Amino acid sequence: GAGVSQSPSNKVTEKGKDVELRCDPISGHTALYWYRQRLGQGLEFLIYFQGNSAPDKSGLPSDRFSAERTGESVSTLTIQRTQQEDSAVYLCASSRGRWGASYGYTFGSGTRLTVV
Amino acid sequence: TQLLEQSPQFLSIQEGENLTVYCNSSSVFSSLQWYRQEPGEGPVLLVTVVTGGEVKKLKRLTFQFGDARKDSSLHITAAQPGDTGLYLCAGKDNTDKLIFGTGTRLQVFP
């Protein structure tokens, strides 16, 4: 597609429920990144996929968080047993090339998650 | 853990004023990028600087990468209401991911 697409755009869930967030990167972009942004703050790295290499999961805050990516396409971020502190905007970005970060990211509009 | 501290955190100015935003770290980055984010949207790339001491200009915006590649600045001349947004610096570390700064929220009043 022309841009990075994320769904849903907004999600309200009850504490303890599982949620799944989806990201469709730009076609041909081999690198895909998930970040979390708390209200009014900067971006916190969560996980990075590059082609068929093992993902860099070093930013996942707990074992309740996991992500998958099918080849070089769609990615899903799953949060199990959601807590109120998980409330944030979850941003997905994609980038081209082996060293995608050097070229800059193209971000989606994010999924705003609210845990009540 | 690499950290990028931005200052000021908030900036509220009148149209036509000049401003500078700073991005500082104790770590060296191979490149540094600046993004602007508007409400409800993802950040949008403004510029990438790679060489220590490099200066890039984008219309009224001037970006500089420090000689030691640990810091950067963004200067806006004659700010306009359309410049309003959250400005984020981001450094590329030795893996292929960006470390984002704490952000500077700019409000320009007409």
Side-chain angles (χ1 to χ4, degrees), chain A residues 41-60:
Chain A
Q41 297 185 17
L43 277 64
E44 175 188 0
F45 168 74
L46 297 177
I47 189 168
Y48 158 48
F49 296 90
Q50 173 58 268
N52 294 317
S53 302
D56 178 347
K57 303 180 181 181
S58 60
L60 294 179

Side-chain angles (χ1 to χ4, degrees), chain A residues 36-116:
Chain A
R36 178 169 69 181
Q37 185 174 33
R38 291 204 165 98
L39 186 63
Q41 297 185 17
L43 277 64
E44 175 188 0
F45 168 74
L46 297 177
I47 189 168
Y48 158 48
F49 296 90
Q50 173 58 268
N52 294 317
S53 302
D56 178 347
K57 303 180 181 181
S58 60
L60 294 179
S62 77
D63 59 8
R64 296 187 296 105
F65 287 73
S66 63
E68 293 184 350
R69 187 182 186 193
T70 307
E72 294 183 354
S73 61
V74 172
S75 176
T76 55
L77 176 68
T78 301
I79 308 173
Q80 296 179 310
R81 304 181 302 282
T82 52
Q83 304 294 316
Q84 288 186 329
E85 65 261 27
D86 299 334
S87 296
V89 175
Y90 289 82
L91 289 161
C92 174
S94 69
S95 187
R96 61 185 175 97
R98 176 66 181 89
W99 298 105
S102 300
Y103 299 101
Y105 295 172
T106 301
F107 280 90
S109 296
T111 293
R112 181 176 298 279
L113 175 66
T114 304
V115 182
V116 297

Side-chain angles (χ1 to χ4, degrees), chain A residues 35 37 48 56 100-101 105, chain B residues 33 35 37 41 96-98:
Chain A
Y35 285 79
Q37 185 174 33
Y48 158 48
D56 178 347
Y105 295 172
Chain B
Q33 298 169 12
Y35 290 77
Q37 184 180 22
E41 300 295 327
D96 190 32
K97 63 180 182 286
L98 294 176

Side-chain angles (χ1 to χ4, degrees), chain B residues 21-80:
Chain B
V21 176
Y22 299 93
C23 172
N24 294 290
S25 174
S26 57
S27 302
V28 175
F29 292 98
S30 59
S31 64
L32 195 136
Q33 298 169 12
W34 284 91
Y35 290 77
R36 182 172 70 203
Q37 184 180 22
E38 298 187 21
E41 300 295 327
V44 174
L45 178 66
L46 296 174
V47 76
T48 301
V49 285
V50 178
T51 307
E54 182 176 2
V55 176
K56 279 193 174 178
K57 292 191 175 184
L58 182 65
K59 296 183 180 177
R60 293 176 295 99
L61 279 59
T62 302
F63 304 87
Q64 183 162 9
F65 200 12
D67 291 342
R69 291 184 289 128
K70 293 183 179 181
D71 55 84
S72 181
S73 64
L74 158 60
H75 183 79
I76 301 179
T77 303
Q80 298 178 0

